[in-house]
Amino acid sequence: MDNYSNSKYPLHTLFFEVTSRCNALCDHCGSRCTAGKRDELSSQDFKKVLDSVAENFGTKAIMLNITGGEPLMRKDLFEITGYADSLGFKWGLVTNGMLITDEVISKMKETHMSTITISLDGMKKTHEEFRHVPGCFDRIISAIEKLKDSDFIEHIQVTFIATKNNIYELPEVYRLLSMLGIDSLRISGIDPIGRAKDNEQLMLSREEYLYLFDFMKKHRTLPLPVVWSCTHYFGNTENTIDPTGKKFKCDTGIHVASVLSNGDIFGCPNIPRRKELIQGNVLKDDFCEVWKNNFEFYRNPNRTKAKQCEECEYWKYCKGDSFHTFDFETNTPQFCYKKFLAEKEDFEEKVDVSYDSIIASLIQKNGKMQHLTVKPSTFEANKTVIFTPQATKELFGFFHYGECHPSNLYEQQVALVGNNLGNISLVKFVVPAILYNRAGNMATMDEFCINQIMDEVSIINENIHKSDLIYQDSYGNVDFIGFAHSHPQETDFRFSIHDANNHKDFVKRYGNFLSIILNPQKKKIVCFSDEDCTQVKLILLSK
């Protein structure tokens, strides 16, 4: 063990694929598991591997992950995990959560399970359609609640496979899991392996990947942290992490190995089950000897170097991307950061929508409208901000515009939610913002207030397609695009130095950002944009 601890390739993670059987038919399954498959090692065979690993490598530095198929379909599962526990291994379970009962939880506790990873890929209808098991959602939620109540597990994690069908349910799933009190949410994008190759319509677009990164950034430091899987290089360098919050590294065959259900000695269970990647079989080979003396291809630093990678400036960090999505037939990576980067740049180009087309669309939905237009007095504005009739009603109602109301005698604030469309910003929703220490001419806010706004934006995007048609259009998801706050009663009606500094900070953080100040008692309103706080043309439509 002393020599092993100094080895260049110490084993950190060992997967036991204890079965290839599964009680679900998931659309993304890399192993194409079914209920009928049966090609399994005996419990004694797995115990022999554990004996060898404990003797040669020790147990303290190795995490044993039990996976499948669905591991809980195996009747003698806890005989294996109990034996691992008796040798001193720390072990965790990867499961779809459908077969967790009170009896199963009792056995988990008896054999000292330390971690569990449970799959949840959307809310009830979406998850059950993806997994093809009607009624499973409620069983999974119940299982998580029981595991929390049992209070013996170090870490309860839920995994979410992001697809085109479920990605915008992610905020709703996050809120549900927050209420359940789990320890982390792990997100993976669906990859073209196994059964997912038959469901290419589920693959994520560049826009959807960027949505995921933005979601992770906003939730990374909250009480329920969001973490990314090990998949794909997204652009880190020596000094920076990538948008997922980590540096990319694929450790399969380097620090990660598995014993498959038929005894094959392998790298990560997600990689293609190709003959040349199988390093041996525990029915005839000693696992530890194979780990120490084989895996040459896995440990070759150029193992996934395709022709397109030879002159690539990102090779040093990417190394040909994930091993499990490498196409060994064509010797090319199925995901390439260069292509993703180019698409990202295309995506970030401004989309110009004409003023006439926006107004025509609003007239079609609302009929004839009135307008209040506020123009800069000294120059021709190059940007226009339009409030839909619904947003105008929400804005004036919240501030009691034109009245002297008890609540509007102190500063108030709302978030502006809508679309930036080139030189036009379309405000479609007004979201009340929490403020602290409110007074006649001041108020404060913090990161908690911003997070509340972002949650509300997520709720709006989740539900637009279910709302009245008047709220629906072809401009895509809405974003947080600005603030409106009041300078009430006799307060100076001007953009203060403090207001300007706050506005500039938000421009740096969100890009194109609006700041509106209004005096509800005197019916004054003005809108500013850009980093230099330029006044813009403001059109408030009403029915």
Side-chain angles (χ1 to χ4, degrees):
M1 278 193 290
D2 291 338
N3 290 335
Y4 171 72
S5 63
N6 296 321
S7 166
K8 188 178 180 181
Y9 305 108
L11 181 64
H12 294 159
T13 304
L14 175 59
F15 287 93
F16 272 6
E17 183 190 68
V18 295
T19 183
S20 59
R21 290 176 289 146
C22 190
N23 56 336
L25 287 169
C26 308
D27 289 338
H28 74 293
C29 181
S31 303
R32 296 182 180 268
C33 296
T34 65
K37 283 189 174 183
R38 185 183 290 273
D39 186 12
E40 299 172 358
L41 292 179
S42 69
S43 59
Q44 292 304 312
D45 293 325
F46 279 114
K47 289 178 183 179
K48 288 179 182 177
V49 177
L50 292 170
D51 285 333
S52 177
V53 173
E55 181 181 348
N56 287 274
F57 301 156
T59 63
K60 300 304 180 185
I62 297 173
M63 181 66 187
L64 177 65
N65 287 325
I66 306 297
T67 186
E70 171 47 52
L72 292 174
M73 292 190 73
R74 184 162 178 143
K75 301 301 183 185
D76 61 353
L77 173 64
F78 293 103
E79 181 184 340
I80 299 169
T81 60
Y83 191 73
D85 177 56
S86 71
L87 292 176
F89 283 98
K90 193 171 185 178
W91 73 275
L93 182 69
V94 181
T95 174
N96 60 36
M98 300 176 197
L99 300 178
I100 296 175
T101 63
D102 292 339
E103 181 183 1
V104 166
I105 292 174
S106 178
K107 291 179 179 178
M108 291 172 173
K109 189 172 184 178
E110 288 173 10
T111 58
H112 300 105
M113 183 182 75
S114 63
T115 66
I116 188 167
T117 300
I118 300 174
S119 301
L120 197 69
D121 305 302
M123 299 306 289
K124 183 177 177 65
K125 183 175 183 291
T126 304
H127 178 79
E128 291 179 359
E129 288 179 352
F130 186 65
R131 299 275 169 173
H132 297 278
V133 184
C136 69
F137 182 86
D138 293 335
R139 297 204 301 272
I140 294 166
I141 299 304
S142 176
I144 294 173
E145 290 173 334
K146 289 180 177 180
L147 288 167
K148 279 294 296 181
D149 290 341
S150 65
D151 196 27
F152 69 92
I153 305 172
E154 291 181 19
H155 196 98
I156 300 176
Q157 182 178 82
V158 167
T159 59
F160 180 96
I161 305 299
T163 74
K164 196 171 290 291
N165 287 352
N166 69 7
I167 184 171
Y168 296 115
E169 287 187 6
L170 188 51
E172 191 174 0
V173 171
Y174 182 88
R175 286 191 293 275
L176 170 63
L177 297 175
S178 295
M179 289 187 286
L180 292 174
I182 68 163
D183 298 298
S184 66
L185 170 62
R186 185 175 189 259
I187 302 175
S188 297
I190 188 170
D191 283 321
I193 59 174
R195 202 175 286 135
K197 285 187 175 180
D198 305 330
N199 294 285
E200 291 187 358
Q201 75 281 2
L202 297 177
M203 300 298 159
L204 298 175
S205 67
R206 66 186 184 275
E207 179 180 0
E208 288 156 349
Y209 266 118
L210 295 174
Y211 172 86
L212 273 183
F213 298 157
D214 187 54
F215 179 87
M216 292 173 61
K217 181 179 179 181
K218 292 170 183 173
H219 293 81
R220 190 174 296 138
T221 58
L222 295 184
L224 172 55
V226 176
V227 297
W228 187 250
S229 68
C230 59
T231 57
H232 304 314
Y233 169 79
F234 287 108
N236 66 270
T237 65
E238 287 178 337
N239 301 314
T240 62
I241 55 178
D242 69 26
T244 68
K246 63 195 290 187
K247 289 190 176 182
F248 172 76
K249 188 179 181 185
C250 185
D251 276 337
T252 186
I254 299 171
H255 301 297
V256 177
S258 64
V259 176
L260 303 183
S261 60
N262 66 352
D264 284 343
I265 301 171
F266 204 53
C268 168
N270 286 330
I271 61 181
R273 308 286 171 97
R274 297 177 65 87
K275 185 177 180 180
E276 68 270 26
L277 300 181
I278 297 169
Q279 302 300 294
N281 190 289
V282 298
L283 293 176
K284 60 183 179 63
D285 303 307
D286 179 76
F287 173 85
C288 294
E289 289 302 312
V290 171
W291 176 257
K292 289 186 285 188
N293 299 313
N294 294 14
F295 285 90
E296 293 95 341
F297 180 72
Y298 289 84
R299 294 163 185 173
N300 178 353
N302 294 317
R303 65 187 186 182
T304 48
K305 192 166 190 176
K307 185 175 179 62
Q308 68 195 61
C309 305
E310 291 178 357
E311 303 298 326
C312 180
E313 66 269 36
Y314 302 111
W315 169 257
K316 180 179 179 181
Y317 314 106
C318 172
K319 298 294 183 182
D321 202 60
S322 303
F323 203 73
H324 76 276
T325 54
F326 194 77
D327 188 333
F328 291 91
E329 297 295 332
T330 61
N331 196 43
T332 57
Q334 295 186 68
F335 184 94
C336 178
Y337 175 66
K338 265 194 169 180
K339 182 181 178 183
F340 178 82
L341 179 65
E343 289 175 337
K344 179 178 177 182
E345 289 171 345
D346 291 342
F347 174 70
E348 289 180 341
E349 288 180 2
K350 301 298 181 184
V351 178
D352 283 310
V353 179
S354 74
Y355 173 87
D356 289 341
S357 67
I358 292 173
I359 297 299
S361 174
L362 290 171
I363 290 174
Q364 186 177 18
K365 290 190 289 186
N366 295 279
K368 189 175 181 181
M369 297 174 291
Q370 297 177 329
H371 67 90
L372 169 64
T373 300
V374 181
K375 296 180 180 179
S377 56
T378 57
F379 61 92
E380 185 66 28
N382 60 10
K383 183 177 178 63
T384 301
V385 177
I386 302 172
F387 274 65
T388 68
Q390 296 76 32
T392 300
K393 182 179 178 180
E394 292 172 359
L395 181 77
F396 286 171
F398 178 84
F399 286 101
H400 298 279
Y401 196 73
E403 304 175 34
C404 188
H405 186 279
S407 67
N408 73 7
L409 296 176
Y410 275 8
E411 272 205 21
Q412 297 174 294
Q413 183 164 275
V414 295
L416 309 177
V417 178
N419 301 103
N420 286 316
L421 306 167
N423 289 327
I424 298 174
S425 291
L426 181 62
V427 179
K428 297 192 282 193
F429 303 95
V430 171
V431 176
I434 298 171
L435 288 173
Y436 302 121
N437 302 322
R438 287 175 61 207
N441 62 352
M442 62 82 65
T444 58
M445 65 182 301
D446 62 12
E447 204 62 28
F448 175 80
C449 306
I450 299 293
N451 289 332
Q452 293 297 302
I453 291 166
M454 301 312 296
D455 279 348
E456 194 66 24
V457 173
S458 296
I459 290 170
I460 291 170
N461 282 323
E462 288 169 37
N463 291 299
I464 281 180
H465 70 284
K466 296 182 280 189
S467 68
D468 293 338
L469 292 176
I470 202 166
Y471 297 106
Q472 301 180 32
D473 55 38
S474 60
Y475 303 135
N477 280 349
V478 294
D479 296 306
F480 168 43
I481 61 174
F483 273 128
H485 74 277
S486 60
H487 285 195
Q489 213 169 17
E490 302 306 320
T491 306
D492 287 344
F493 189 68
R494 60 183 176 82
F495 216 40
S496 68
I497 293 175
H498 183 70
D499 291 333
N501 289 337
N502 280 343
H503 175 83
K504 291 175 183 177
D505 286 342
F506 282 114
V507 169
K508 291 177 182 177
R509 184 168 177 174
Y510 295 106
N512 198 350
F513 196 81
L514 309 173
S515 288
I516 290 177
I517 59 171
L518 51 82
N519 184 308
Q521 294 82 21
K522 298 180 179 180
K523 298 181 70 172
K524 292 182 177 180
I525 188 168
V526 66
C527 183
F528 301 92
S529 181
D530 302 326
E531 193 169 3
D532 56 358
C533 303
T534 305
Q535 188 178 345
V536 300
K537 184 178 181 181
L538 176 63
I539 301 175
L540 295 148
L541 299 173
S542 59
K543 291 185 179 180

